[in-house]
Amino acid sequence: MTWKKGLLFSLLPFFVFFVSIYLTIDLLLKAGDNVVCPDLRGKTVDEARELAKKTGLPLVILRYENRSDVPYNHITVQKPEAHIPIRKGRIIHVIVSEGPKLTEVPNLTNTSLQEAEETLREKNLEVGKVIRLPHVKEGKIIAQIPKGGEK
């Protein structure tokens, strides 16, 4: 019987230690206000900041990246993921699109429409709108928007 008491008294501090650790962690994690992380992907940075602020979460931009499939200033990636419960005040990190890589528009004045379309096709651009006017230079481009040299 004495060896059982000795074993009990020697294991009791470990038991108390682990129970107190468990209760402390459990209380700390559950005591904080939890919120559901909003879905910020596809929103502009201003919209995302406003939404994060309403939820009580700060927003930090990690970096910008060129994305041809996402418009300029829209969020592409967020951490933590959307729709999961997180502690209020946790930082949401995002990656923002710079939009597609900008291309310099060639100068198309004094060329024919066919030549202009070919030049634009080579640069992965296309003709938007054509307005035909009577002019001395019939069949030639007399003006363009955006101007040649702009991005």
Side-chain angles (χ1 to χ4, degrees):
M1 184 74 126
T2 56
W3 68 272
K4 289 181 184 178
K5 280 186 180 179
L7 182 63
L8 179 65
F9 285 123
S10 62
L11 292 178
L12 188 61
F14 291 107
F15 177 74
V16 170
F17 174 74
F18 286 115
V19 169
S20 64
I21 292 286
Y22 173 77
L23 290 175
T24 303
I25 291 174
D26 190 47
L27 288 174
L28 285 176
L29 291 178
K30 290 186 179 175
D33 291 338
N34 285 340
V35 294
V36 175
C37 186
D39 189 1
L40 305 177
R41 291 168 296 179
K43 295 185 177 14
T44 65
V45 173
D46 292 336
E47 292 170 342
R49 279 193 200 282
E50 189 63 34
L51 188 57
K53 187 178 177 183
K54 286 180 185 174
T55 316
L57 303 168
L59 182 94
V60 173
I61 298 171
L62 287 178
R63 69 176 185 271
Y64 289 85
E65 64 183 9
N66 284 332
R67 293 281 302 262
S68 59
D69 58 333
V70 180
Y72 172 76
N73 208 31
H74 283 68
I75 294 177
T76 59
V77 178
Q78 77 176 64
K79 292 289 181 198
E81 295 295 324
H83 309 299
I84 63 169
I86 59 173
R87 293 197 61 165
K88 196 171 190 171
R90 183 171 172 189
I91 297 172
I92 301 176
H93 293 92
V94 296
I95 298 175
V96 180
S97 171
E98 287 184 330
K101 203 167 194 142
L102 298 178
T103 305
E104 188 173 313
V105 177
N107 187 5
L108 303 172
T109 53
N110 296 324
T111 62
S112 70
L113 184 57
Q114 278 183 317
E115 291 172 332
E117 286 175 336
E118 225 172 274
T119 305
L120 291 174
R121 200 174 307 116
E122 288 172 3
K123 293 201 169 235
N124 292 325
L125 299 171
E126 56 186 54
V127 174
K129 186 176 184 180
V130 177
I131 300 173
R132 299 185 188 276
L133 299 171
H135 195 269
V136 177
K137 297 180 180 179
E138 188 68 36
K140 298 286 184 179
I141 296 174
I142 57 172
Q144 73 181 60
I145 300 174
K147 294 179 180 177
E150 289 183 9
K151 291 199 179 242

